[in-house]
Amino acid sequence: MVKTKIIVVTGGVLSGLGKGVVASSIGLLLKSQGYKVAGIKVDPYINIDAGTMRPTEHGEVFVTEDGGETDQDLGHYERFLDELMLKDQSITTGQVYYAVIQRERNLEYDGKCVEVIPHIPMEVRNRILKVGKRTNADFLIVEVGGTVGDYQSVLFLEALREMSRELGNVLFVHVAYLPVPGNIGEMKTKPAQHSVRFLNSSGIQPDIIIGRGEKPIDRVRREKLSVFCNVKLDDVYSAPDVDNVYKIPLILDQQSMVKNILKKFGLNYKPGRVRAWESFIKKATTAKEVVKIGIVGKYFDIGDFTLEDSYVSVIESIKHASWHNGKRPVIGWLDSKKFEKNPKSLDELSGYDAIIVPGGFGSSGVEGKIKAIQYAREHDIPYLGLCYGLQLAVVEFARNVCGMKKASTTEIDKNTPYPVIAILPEQEKKLKEKEYGGSMRLGAYPAQLKRGTLVYHLYGDKDNISERHRHRYEVNPEFIEKLESHGLVFSGRSPDRKLMEFMELPSNTFHVGTQAHPEFKSRPLRPAPLFDGLIKAAIKKKSLHNI
Ligand code: GLN
């Protein structure tokens, strides 16, 4: 008997509807009812994982505790549910086919002809059920990537249809877009109706429809959707555009969604369970005073939408920390290449209360980032460096404070006389020996913090902490003494003391870097310590200015 109940979330009409947020919101509401919830994202692409894709292609690569390089939706699940998601919760077509072919080569199919049907859906099903078993979840929320009607998602839908027939405890939630064409000025339901037809042609009848649109759905349109899509009126929900995505769980709760879902599974609803979330939203939406954060990066020729997607966890971390401190964040995107071409433009940085250099790869825009870090250090603008942002802060300090003029990372200059950031041979060997033979340091690693440092205090005076990583290069131990003798403090190291995980400059209000990506562990109700510290420092500096 399978205990886990499954809620499948599909999307219709167009992509970018916020299916991940809807799936996470349903999960949060179920969790607040006392159930254990896990999320699964199935993605139709052939890539084994998101690690090999540019963030501009498919958004941020979200790193899990166990080192999975997954779809950014797992980040939404973690943030809303405050539960850890592991790499097997991100399933791709590539993984499924790869596993089936490997099994065939290992003679595991007893001489049978291995075919797309039934073997591919069977593999999908086994993977989903395995997550249910491992997590011991009461509810599994399975979000299907892409849009129904896409050729690529057919086999996933087929697997879910079969599961629903066999297990009987599967509920289908369809999120569809309801446009308001400018020339007509009224909300149209036809595209949503067609997307339900697409689902029907895969043998799936949605149990619940969530209408996404600029505005709430009125009674007339709900009735239309009910009649034409063959669902009860009470099973049509409205999720209009909002200024803050964390409001979505409350909007769905006001429409008794979770009560309805529980009823469908024969379970009881207990009212008033989302109080903590409600007060968080109140704090977030009433914050008036602004804190201005500049993110210095290089992904700027690609349009605003992709930008938000590429840095989603960093952006959310800034929001969590700002709201927690009663401020409204305003994020500015600063093109590092501009600083290279025109150093005068660096003065733009003085308009920001804090600066972040996030993770990145390659040489493009790097010199501009280094210049921005120098500006932040010299003008005491609170600075947080994430991964590449730590590495480049070390390069900047080596060049401009320690007198190592041509210091660099070997990622961009193999022949630098001062390779302050480099691939450590011992580290490279260790990573290659890992099961997947990769060369990246991925997933959660422990660090020991140095007592009395700012970082130590920010992490609540803990000696040992853990954060997630995704990088190849490290601070070169040969230069540690020199860097520290000029005032830089490595405030956290790996337990074997060999890898520098955190740095800070005690001479500044806040000049901190980490080799890790703390943005993956920030939660709405529990901001990441370094982001909280950055915002607090920004507020402190700001109030000094205003005196
Ligand atoms: N490019 C750097 C490295 O590989 C930093 C990576 C990152 O910022 N995630 O070490």
Side-chain angles (χ1 to χ4, degrees):
M1 172 68 186
V2 185
K3 163 201 167 202
T4 310
K5 294 156 193 57
I6 297 171
I7 298 177
V8 177
V9 180
T10 54
V13 183
L14 42 84
S15 64
L17 283 182
K19 241 185 311 132
V21 169
V22 167
S24 310
S25 300
I26 298 173
L28 168 71
L29 293 173
L30 288 166
K31 185 181 171 181
S32 64
Q33 289 288 313
Y35 295 103
K36 187 160 173 43
V37 183
I40 293 183
K41 176 77 191 286
V42 291
D43 271 305
Y45 47 76
I46 304 279
N47 303 57
I48 297 284
D49 60 36
T52 54
M53 272 186 273
R54 263 193 307 278
T56 49
E57 278 285 317
H58 201 70
E60 161 191 277
V61 176
F62 185 79
V63 180
T64 55
E65 285 283 295
D66 60 343
E69 297 178 283
T70 68
D71 187 83
Q72 55 168 320
D73 277 318
L74 263 75
H76 290 309
Y77 306 162
E78 285 209 352
R79 282 187 285 274
F80 279 72
L81 289 170
D82 198 4
E83 297 279 343
L84 296 180
M85 303 291 141
L86 298 186
K87 67 174 154 205
D88 60 358
Q89 284 163 267
S90 171
I91 301 174
T92 70
T93 298
Q95 287 170 21
V96 171
Y97 272 86
Y98 195 63
V100 169
I101 291 169
Q102 272 182 329
R103 202 159 294 142
E104 183 272 334
R105 290 289 86 187
N106 292 340
L107 305 174
E108 287 176 44
Y109 286 105
D110 284 337
K112 279 205 187 84
C113 174
V114 183
E115 299 191 78
V116 169
I117 307 248
H119 295 101
I120 296 295
M122 211 186 277
E123 177 68 25
V124 173
R125 168 208 152 100
N126 290 345
R127 282 174 177 249
I128 292 174
L129 293 180
K130 220 164 131 191
V131 174
K133 222 169 164 185
R134 175 180 63 70
T135 56
N136 198 25
D138 300 303
F139 285 95
L140 270 185
I141 316 269
V142 181
E143 181 192 346
V144 183
T147 311
V148 295
D150 289 350
Y151 179 66
Q152 294 126 288
S153 37
V154 165
L155 290 168
F156 286 125
L157 293 177
E158 173 62 13
L160 293 159
R161 180 193 67 80
E162 283 177 20
M163 287 175 79
S164 134
R165 183 174 50 83
E166 281 170 36
L167 309 172
N169 56 358
V170 182
L171 187 93
F172 289 94
V173 175
H174 185 58
V175 185
Y177 182 58
L178 304 173
V180 183
N183 60 331
I184 305 172
E186 69 171 78
M187 188 176 261
K188 303 303 272 181
T189 61
K190 192 68 79 190
Q193 292 176 33
H194 281 302
S195 74
V196 171
R197 290 275 148 78
F198 267 129
L199 260 185
N200 290 159
S201 66
S202 304
I204 293 170
Q205 168 60 42
D207 299 283
I208 284 175
I209 293 178
I210 300 185
R212 283 277 299 110
E214 283 166 45
K215 296 187 190 131
I217 315 176
D218 60 14
R219 171 100 192 169
V220 176
R221 274 143 199 100
R222 279 184 40 188
E223 275 168 0
K224 252 193 182 161
L225 285 171
S226 162
V227 171
F228 289 102
C229 303
N230 197 22
V231 293
K232 282 203 232 112
L233 192 62
D234 288 348
D235 290 329
V236 181
Y237 293 86
S238 174
D241 286 349
V242 279
D243 53 348
N244 182 329
V245 293
Y246 298 107
K247 283 182 183 168
I248 296 288
L250 301 181
I251 290 172
L252 296 177
D253 198 40
Q254 276 154 13
Q255 300 171 70
S256 303
M257 184 172 196
V258 79
K259 187 174 177 186
N260 186 6
I261 289 180
L262 290 175
K263 199 163 133 207
K264 288 184 191 296
F265 285 110
L267 299 165
N268 290 330
Y269 171 76
K270 307 166 204 94
R273 291 294 186 99
V274 278
R275 293 263 155 75
W277 200 265
E278 278 166 355
S279 42
F280 148 68
I281 290 293
K282 196 161 172 214
K283 198 166 177 190
T285 47
T286 50
K288 286 207 172 57
E289 213 179 298
V290 160
V291 59
K292 269 186 91 179
I293 315 296
I295 301 182
V296 183
K298 65 163 187 178
Y299 302 117
F300 292 96
D301 349 278
I302 50 165
D304 291 350
F305 294 111
T306 329
L307 207 69
E308 297 264 330
D309 266 7
S310 304
Y311 293 112
V312 55
S313 289
V314 175
I315 296 171
E316 294 310 309
S317 303
I318 293 171
K319 290 183 188 167
H320 302 159
S322 304
W323 294 332
H324 183 72
N325 287 288
K327 297 283 179 267
R328 186 166 69 81
V330 171
I331 296 170
W333 301 98
L334 299 161
D335 184 358
S336 58
K337 284 191 198 146
K338 194 163 88 184
F339 301 144
E340 290 172 7
K341 284 186 217 130
N342 175 15
K344 266 208 97 33
S345 61
L346 280 163
D347 283 332
E348 208 185 311
L349 294 172
S350 63
Y352 287 90
D353 303 314
I355 306 287
I356 292 177
V357 170
F361 293 85
S363 59
S364 152
V366 157
E367 290 302 327
K369 289 183 191 174
I370 294 173
K371 284 204 164 69
I373 299 169
Q374 180 180 8
Y375 190 97
R377 181 178 56 76
E378 289 177 350
H379 294 78
D380 198 26
I381 303 174
Y383 170 75
L384 177 61
L386 306 168
C387 202
Y388 217 10
L390 167 135
Q391 297 175 356
L392 299 178
V394 170
V395 170
E396 188 279 317
F397 191 80
R399 283 185 191 175
N400 302 319
V401 179
C402 307
M404 297 185 255
K405 282 278 163 280
K406 287 192 174 140
S408 196
T409 156
T410 53
E411 180 168 356
I412 57 172
D413 180 3
K414 295 248 169 318
N415 303 316
T416 167
Y418 306 109
V420 288
I421 305 293
I423 292 185
L424 312 184
E426 193 191 328
Q427 182 65 10
E428 195 180 17
K429 200 169 145 248
K430 229 194 263 173
L431 292 173
K432 285 238 165 81
E433 279 161 10
K434 274 199 141 183
E435 42 158 337
Y436 35 80
S439 58
M440 280 250 224
R441 191 165 169 233
L442 284 168
Y445 282 90
Q448 282 176 355
L449 303 183
K450 187 171 179 167
R451 290 197 177 165
T453 58
L454 175 60
V455 168
Y456 177 78
H457 291 315
L458 291 175
Y459 276 93
D461 291 352
K462 286 204 191 90
D463 291 321
N464 299 297
I465 60 107
S466 163
E467 290 286 6
R468 296 183 203 165
H469 291 247
R470 181 174 186 249
H471 59 106
R472 288 188 183 86
Y473 295 81
E474 304 283 351
V475 175
N476 188 342
E478 283 174 34
F479 294 92
I480 290 169
E481 221 184 290
K482 179 133 190 206
L483 291 162
E484 289 209 313
S485 71
H486 283 80
L488 192 130
V489 172
F490 286 107
S491 32
R493 298 179 186 220
S494 57
D496 64 5
R497 320 286 305 146
K498 289 185 180 153
L499 306 175
M500 301 303 111
E501 309 287 44
F502 293 89
M503 60 146 260
E504 64 189 62
L505 258 192
S507 55
N508 280 42
T509 306
F510 192 101
H511 195 83
V512 173
T514 174
Q515 192 57 86
H517 288 280
E519 66 269 26
F520 294 136
K521 284 171 67 176
S522 178
R523 305 286 177 257
L525 308 186
R526 200 160 31 82
L530 295 191
F531 283 87
D532 190 37
L534 179 77
I535 299 297
K536 284 199 163 76
I539 295 169
K540 190 171 145 198
K541 284 281 302 176
K542 223 175 134 137
S543 64
L544 288 179
H545 270 302
N546 294 340
I547 285 171

